[in-house]
Amino acid sequence: AQSVTQPDIHITVSEGASLELRCNYSYGATPYLFWYVQSPGQGLQLLLKYFSGDTLVQGIKGFEAEFKRSQSSFNLRKPSVHWSDAAEYFCAVGAGAGKSTFGDGTTLTVKP
Amino acid sequence: NAGVTQTPKFRVLKTGQSMTLLCAQDMNHEYMYWYRQDPGMGLRLIHYSVGEGTTAKGEVPDGYNVSRLKKQNFLLGLESAAPSQTSVYFCASSGSRSSYNEQFFGPGTRLTVL
């Protein structure tokens, strides 16, 4: 069965610093991978997705993610974090029949 | 377009009471989903639907029922609420069964069962 692990429950970075959120997946075939962001009191919004082709994918709000098959990873990055990026971030893998399996999430705090 | 909307936004129930959560989408999506979100546990799929008139069980279906009588609506019912069902409930929709199609989420319903 597919699974997603986000090793970091909580990350704190200073505004303007770079960010990397880790995601590891387990899936038997070519994975379809997603990163979502959830602002407080809101639903989830898609940041980016990967299903084939270039291993570096660009998303909204200046985020990017790199797919590494050898490491079963799909880490999310941003070169310079803004205070408005404080939120919870979820990695997900497509699980067939339109379903997705979500990780437990990483909460990002941004220090001024 | 309103996207995915959920009604109500907040609700407090007593143990044993029943209620229905309504999800509506205006994107003509085939697939709809109900998740619950609990601290430190991510999103867990309760039930989902692959089209009007069809429903299927997800990861944590016990204690919940669903119906999809109209394509745009997906209802989640709690027949006899329990404190363990205190959670935030999210509805989502997707355009097709392809695993690479993103899901669009509603704003959530915060349910407390006393």
Side-chain angles (χ1 to χ4, degrees):
Chain A
Q2 63 284 337
S3 65
V4 176
T5 301
Q6 294 181 244
D8 304 305
I9 297 172
H10 195 175
I11 282 184
T12 300
V13 300
S14 297
E15 191 168 15
S18 63
L19 170 70
E20 183 170 30
L21 302 181
R22 296 184 291 166
C23 172
N24 294 100
Y25 67 89
S26 172
Y27 192 68
T30 301
Y32 300 111
L33 296 162
F34 309 85
W35 274 102
Y36 290 85
V37 60
Q38 183 182 30
S39 298
Q42 303 292 319
L44 279 69
Q45 179 187 17
L46 183 74
L47 283 175
L48 48 80
K49 61 185 177 184
Y50 169 83
F51 55 91
S52 68
D54 292 340
T55 57
L56 187 65
V57 293
Q58 302 297 321
I60 62 171
K61 305 184 181 185
F63 286 90
E64 65 179 26
E66 186 172 14
F67 169 62
K68 291 186 177 180
R69 185 186 299 275
S70 61
Q71 299 178 17
S72 298
S73 69
F74 189 55
N75 294 349
L76 182 71
R77 301 194 295 243
K78 186 169 185 179
S80 178
V81 170
H82 189 262
W83 63 266
S84 60
D85 293 323
E88 190 161 17
Y89 292 81
F90 292 92
C91 182
V93 61
K99 296 182 290 182
S100 292
T101 296
F102 290 82
D104 290 343
T106 298
T107 299
L108 173 65
T109 298
V110 181
K111 293 191 303 184
Chain B
N1 288 352
V4 180
T5 57
Q6 293 182 231
T7 308
K9 290 185 169 51
F10 304 93
R11 185 72 186 269
V12 179
L13 291 178
K14 294 181 180 178
T15 296
Q17 287 185 318
S18 63
M19 78 163 294
T20 300
L21 282 67
L22 171 63
C23 175
Q25 53 94 4
D26 60 4
M27 296 172 282
N28 201 33
H29 283 171
E30 288 293 334
Y31 281 60
M32 297 187 75
Y33 315 85
W34 275 108
Y35 294 92
R36 59 177 290 172
Q37 184 180 35
D38 302 291
M41 301 186 74
L43 278 80
R44 292 182 291 170
L45 184 64
I46 305 171
H47 286 281
Y48 65 102
S49 169
V50 302
E52 181 178 322
T54 71
T55 63
K57 294 180 179 180
E59 181 185 354
V60 289
D62 293 343
Y64 305 94
N65 57 76
V66 289
S67 64
R68 183 102 181 264
L69 299 179
K70 294 183 179 180
K71 186 177 183 179
Q72 63 267 35
N73 295 339
F74 194 30
L75 278 62
L76 178 70
L78 285 73
E79 291 184 349
S80 179
S84 60
Q85 294 178 304
T86 292
S87 187
V88 181
Y89 291 86
F90 287 98
C91 177
S93 70
S94 177
S96 79
R97 66 177 297 150
S98 299
S99 291
Y100 57 82
N101 275 13
E102 67 180 280
Q103 295 185 15
F104 294 81
F105 285 82
T109 295
R110 186 173 296 275
L111 174 66
T112 301
V113 183
L114 303 176

